[in-house]
Amino acid sequence: MPGLIRRSDIDEVRARTNIADIVGDFVTLKSAGVGSLKGLCPFHEERSPSFHVRPQVGLYHCFGCNEGGDVFSFLQKMDHVTFAEAVERLAGRLGYELHYEDGGQASDHGNRARLLAANAAAEVWFQAQLGTPAAQIGRDFLGARGFDLVAAQRFGIGFAPKSFNALADHLRGLGFTDAELLGAGLLAAGERGSPYDRFRGRLIWPIRDVTGQTVGFGARKLLGDDDDKGPKYLNTPETLVYHKSQVLYGLDLARRDIAKAKQVVVVEGYTDVMACHLAGVTTAVATCGTSFGVDHIKVIRRVLGDVDNVDTGGTGEVVFTFDPDEAGQKAASRAFAEEQRFAAQTFVAVAPDNLDPSDLRTQRGDEAVRTLIANRKPMFEFMIRRVIARFDLETVEGRVAALRAAAPVVAGIRDRALSVGYVRNLAGWLGMEPSEVSRAVRSAPKATAPVVTDSGDEASEQSEVRLLDLPTDPETRMERDALMVMLQRPSAVGADLLERATRVRLRSTLLDVVRDGIATSLPDWERPDWIARVGDAVPTRYAGLVSQLGVAPLPETRESNLDKYCRAQVADLIAVDIVRLKSELTGASQRAAAEGDQVRADAMREQLAALELERRRLRNE
């Protein structure tokens, strides 16, 4: 595990970065008043802009879909990277050197950069080799599958010549050491200790992470090369930057369209990804020499925006294509076993004559590939039909056995409406009464998997508190507006008013939690990450409310007038609290006097006088 980035460095990167510059790479922003910008939300479709950015506080929030956060979370969601990767990318943009908690781990980050640089240099070299005479066998392979040189360039395909040291010599000439090249998996260690080129006489596909950095390679054995005794596909081994269980080939090209179309197509190989993209199915990805697993699901869910929802209708689509051979059938079973980790609906696309997407495009053209995906079948239908196909449905015994085998599949369907529909369908396929099938499904065990978050935890049942959850009565609106200015412009409010306002008892129990967060974080009110500090101080489900209050638009006015408005809002909040306290003290003083407790009555009158003096000072602010 890489070391943690020092908190001071994270704060420095955040303070030096203008969030409007980063968001502006993705969204056209226009002025929305003093210190506020707005544009069309990049996270959901909308016609009127509800996406607001406040550079002064370093936050963004969409009041349409409720997405919000700081510059790091924005990059995480847009480019689908981890928090540490977002910090590292922004630090690189600034030219700022990061430091890590464990002294030795900073060098790991340096090693990572060197391995990525070696891969990038190797990719360029491989691509150049594809144009050499020796690569004719590779060009013939591509041509036979309908891929021209333009397609090869689009996907970065290259060629590794039959040489034990051509790549090694080239990269050594660029300053890379054998240790770095071995660490990147570009060289393999010989029996006598002399390293040699891992990939020789093969077509090379660069494998990139979601940000487009080349982390490894896939090398295909070429027909007619009898000297190559290796496997059909040879991939980069596990390295510091390449983890095959977490990488999907083509995701760097597909991620934007996946997020936009709410669909991902999972195919079996590199040429299948190419065939789909060239045919117009630009949401296709593939695993890299390993079976589709839980880590791949986490990556897809992040890019797809896959949110847990008991009713899976309309949440997105995951479409699997499988080869017709035994390995493909096993892959289908594994995918189905993990199906319920998705909130999205899952489908299976099976080509006519059991062709894979690459062969389908070669034999029948681009339209056939598009039709393949358009004619996808729901995963449950595919698996139910696959289960009952093993039985002889012409006999009573066969139909009963098929029902017993298929009932657990139907019982595992989360969507109630879908479950009822499949009971009817299964009854029709078996030629049995729906009531009989329904009884079998109700009594069948359910093979389900929990829906997991990106961190691997099960989704929380508590919903996030939003600004829209607040009542709209005048007193709550006043409290809301006061907290907005305390969060967004604490310097205009001033330390004294901020401290006094944190002692005000609010009518809204939701805003009371935010007020407590402000009180806890008060020593940090002058820090650039003030709002983030308050967000960290409140329960997790209230952090979004803090973020929304931190970016909600303030009145459009001149800077000087805006400062007066901010102080007035907080002063009004305190004044209301003073009136309430005076009312309570007046009643208590009268009761004390009636009981003959003059000392207590006099003390309360002194408190009343102090409150009146405070009220007058506020009025003169």
Side-chain angles (χ1 to χ4, degrees), residues 136-158:
Q136 185 62 51
I137 186 175
R139 295 194 295 272
D140 291 343
F141 174 92
L142 293 173
R145 286 155 180 77
F147 304 129
D148 57 18
L149 289 180
V150 174
Q153 292 171 358
R154 175 175 173 179
F155 292 92
I157 298 174

Short mmCIF file of all heavy atoms in Angstrom, two decimals, residues 136-158:
data_model
loop_
_atom_site.label_atom_id
_atom_site.label_comp_id
_atom_site.label_asym_id
_atom_site.label_seq_id
_atom_site.Cartn_x
_atom_site.Cartn_y
_atom_site.Cartn_z
N GLN A 136 5.11 -7.42 -40.98
CA GLN A 136 4.10 -7.74 -41.98
C GLN A 136 3.14 -8.82 -41.48
O GLN A 136 1.93 -8.76 -41.73
CB GLN A 136 4.77 -8.21 -43.28
CG GLN A 136 3.79 -8.44 -44.43
CD GLN A 136 3.06 -7.16 -44.82
OE1 GLN A 136 3.68 -6.13 -45.05
NE2 GLN A 136 1.73 -7.23 -44.89
N ILE A 137 3.67 -9.78 -40.74
CA ILE A 137 2.82 -10.84 -40.21
C ILE A 137 1.76 -10.27 -39.26
O ILE A 137 0.61 -10.73 -39.23
CB ILE A 137 3.69 -11.91 -39.49
CG1 ILE A 137 2.83 -13.10 -39.05
CG2 ILE A 137 4.41 -11.31 -38.30
CD1 ILE A 137 3.64 -14.24 -38.46
N GLY A 138 2.13 -9.22 -38.50
CA GLY A 138 1.19 -8.57 -37.61
C GLY A 138 0.15 -7.76 -38.37
O GLY A 138 -1.04 -7.77 -38.03
N ARG A 139 0.61 -7.05 -39.42
CA ARG A 139 -0.33 -6.26 -40.23
C ARG A 139 -1.31 -7.17 -40.96
O ARG A 139 -2.50 -6.84 -41.11
CB ARG A 139 0.44 -5.38 -41.21
CG ARG A 139 1.30 -4.31 -40.53
CD ARG A 139 1.78 -3.26 -41.52
NE ARG A 139 2.69 -3.82 -42.52
CZ ARG A 139 4.00 -3.93 -42.39
NH1 ARG A 139 4.58 -3.53 -41.27
NH2 ARG A 139 4.76 -4.44 -43.36
N ASP A 140 -0.84 -8.34 -41.39
CA ASP A 140 -1.72 -9.31 -42.04
C ASP A 140 -2.80 -9.80 -41.07
O ASP A 140 -3.96 -9.97 -41.44
CB ASP A 140 -0.92 -10.50 -42.57
CG ASP A 140 -0.04 -10.12 -43.75
OD1 ASP A 140 -0.28 -9.05 -44.35
OD2 ASP A 140 0.89 -10.90 -44.06
N PHE A 141 -2.39 -10.04 -39.84
CA PHE A 141 -3.34 -10.49 -38.82
C PHE A 141 -4.44 -9.44 -38.62
O PHE A 141 -5.64 -9.78 -38.58
CB PHE A 141 -2.60 -10.73 -37.50
CG PHE A 141 -3.50 -11.06 -36.33
CD1 PHE A 141 -3.80 -12.38 -36.03
CD2 PHE A 141 -4.04 -10.05 -35.53
CE1 PHE A 141 -4.64 -12.69 -34.96
CE2 PHE A 141 -4.88 -10.36 -34.47
CZ PHE A 141 -5.17 -11.67 -34.18
N LEU A 142 -4.04 -8.18 -38.51
CA LEU A 142 -5.03 -7.11 -38.31
C LEU A 142 -5.93 -6.97 -39.53
O LEU A 142 -7.16 -6.83 -39.41
CB LEU A 142 -4.31 -5.79 -38.02
CG LEU A 142 -3.55 -5.71 -36.70
CD1 LEU A 142 -2.74 -4.41 -36.63
CD2 LEU A 142 -4.51 -5.78 -35.51
N GLY A 143 -5.33 -7.01 -40.72
CA GLY A 143 -6.11 -6.85 -41.94
C GLY A 143 -7.14 -7.95 -42.11
O GLY A 143 -8.27 -7.69 -42.57
N ALA A 144 -6.78 -9.17 -41.75
CA ALA A 144 -7.73 -10.28 -41.88
C ALA A 144 -8.92 -10.11 -40.97
O ALA A 144 -9.98 -10.71 -41.20
CB ALA A 144 -7.01 -11.60 -41.57
N ARG A 145 -8.81 -9.30 -39.94
CA ARG A 145 -9.89 -9.06 -39.00
C ARG A 145 -10.55 -7.71 -39.21
O ARG A 145 -11.30 -7.23 -38.35
CB ARG A 145 -9.37 -9.21 -37.56
CG ARG A 145 -9.15 -10.67 -37.21
CD ARG A 145 -8.13 -10.86 -36.12
NE ARG A 145 -7.97 -12.30 -35.83
CZ ARG A 145 -7.28 -13.13 -36.61
NH1 ARG A 145 -6.68 -12.69 -37.69
NH2 ARG A 145 -7.19 -14.41 -36.29
N GLY A 146 -10.24 -7.09 -40.32
CA GLY A 146 -10.91 -5.84 -40.67
C GLY A 146 -10.36 -4.61 -39.98
O GLY A 146 -11.04 -3.58 -39.90
N PHE A 147 -9.12 -4.68 -39.50
CA PHE A 147 -8.51 -3.53 -38.82
C PHE A 147 -7.39 -2.97 -39.69
O PHE A 147 -6.40 -3.65 -39.96
CB PHE A 147 -7.93 -3.93 -37.46
CG PHE A 147 -8.94 -4.57 -36.53
CD1 PHE A 147 -8.66 -5.78 -35.91
CD2 PHE A 147 -10.16 -3.96 -36.29
CE1 PHE A 147 -9.57 -6.38 -35.07
CE2 PHE A 147 -11.09 -4.54 -35.44
CZ PHE A 147 -10.80 -5.76 -34.83
N ASP A 148 -7.55 -1.72 -40.12
CA ASP A 148 -6.51 -1.08 -40.92
C ASP A 148 -5.54 -0.33 -40.01
O ASP A 148 -5.67 -0.37 -38.77
CB ASP A 148 -7.12 -0.15 -41.97
CG ASP A 148 -8.02 0.92 -41.35
OD1 ASP A 148 -7.91 1.17 -40.11
OD2 ASP A 148 -8.83 1.51 -42.08
N LEU A 149 -4.57 0.37 -40.62
CA LEU A 149 -3.57 1.07 -39.82
C LEU A 149 -4.16 2.23 -39.03
O LEU A 149 -3.67 2.59 -37.96
CB LEU A 149 -2.43 1.56 -40.72
CG LEU A 149 -1.52 0.46 -41.28
CD1 LEU A 149 -0.42 1.07 -42.15
CD2 LEU A 149 -0.89 -0.36 -40.14
N VAL A 150 -5.25 2.82 -39.56
CA VAL A 150 -5.92 3.90 -38.81
C VAL A 150 -6.50 3.34 -37.52
O VAL A 150 -6.38 3.96 -36.45
CB VAL A 150 -7.03 4.54 -39.68
CG1 VAL A 150 -7.82 5.55 -38.85
CG2 VAL A 150 -6.42 5.21 -40.90
N ALA A 151 -7.11 2.16 -37.61
CA ALA A 151 -7.64 1.52 -36.40
C ALA A 151 -6.51 1.16 -35.45
O ALA A 151 -6.63 1.31 -34.23
CB ALA A 151 -8.43 0.27 -36.78
N ALA A 152 -5.40 0.67 -36.00
CA ALA A 152 -4.25 0.33 -35.16
C ALA A 152 -3.75 1.54 -34.40
O ALA A 152 -3.41 1.46 -33.21
CB ALA A 152 -3.15 -0.28 -36.01
N GLN A 153 -3.69 2.69 -35.09
CA GLN A 153 -3.24 3.91 -34.43
C GLN A 153 -4.22 4.37 -33.36
O GLN A 153 -3.83 4.85 -32.30
CB GLN A 153 -3.04 5.01 -35.48
CG GLN A 153 -1.86 4.76 -36.43
CD GLN A 153 -1.82 5.74 -37.57
OE1 GLN A 153 -2.69 6.61 -37.70
NE2 GLN A 153 -0.82 5.61 -38.43
N ARG A 154 -5.51 4.21 -33.63
CA ARG A 154 -6.54 4.63 -32.67
C ARG A 154 -6.40 3.89 -31.35
O ARG A 154 -6.58 4.46 -30.27
CB ARG A 154 -7.93 4.40 -33.27
CG ARG A 154 -9.09 4.69 -32.31
CD ARG A 154 -10.41 4.55 -33.03
NE ARG A 154 -11.54 4.66 -32.11
CZ ARG A 154 -12.81 4.59 -32.48
NH1 ARG A 154 -13.13 4.43 -33.76
NH2 ARG A 154 -13.79 4.69 -31.58
N PHE A 155 -6.05 2.62 -31.43
CA PHE A 155 -5.94 1.80 -30.22
C PHE A 155 -4.48 1.62 -29.77
O PHE A 155 -4.22 0.89 -28.82
CB PHE A 155 -6.60 0.45 -30.44
CG PHE A 155 -8.09 0.55 -30.60
CD1 PHE A 155 -8.66 0.69 -31.85
CD2 PHE A 155 -8.92 0.55 -29.49
CE1 PHE A 155 -10.04 0.80 -32.01
CE2 PHE A 155 -10.30 0.66 -29.63
CZ PHE A 155 -10.86 0.79 -30.90
N GLY A 156 -3.55 2.28 -30.46
CA GLY A 156 -2.16 2.25 -30.04
C GLY A 156 -1.46 0.93 -30.23
O GLY A 156 -0.49 0.61 -29.54
N ILE A 157 -1.91 0.12 -31.19
CA ILE A 157 -1.34 -1.22 -31.38
C ILE A 157 0.09 -1.12 -31.93
O ILE A 157 0.39 -0.27 -32.77
CB ILE A 157 -2.21 -2.05 -32.34
CG1 ILE A 157 -3.61 -2.22 -31.75
CG2 ILE A 157 -1.60 -3.41 -32.62
CD1 ILE A 157 -4.58 -2.89 -32.67
N GLY A 158 0.95 -1.98 -31.45
CA GLY A 158 2.33 -2.00 -31.90
C GLY A 158 2.79 -3.43 -32.19
O GLY A 158 1.99 -4.37 -32.21
#
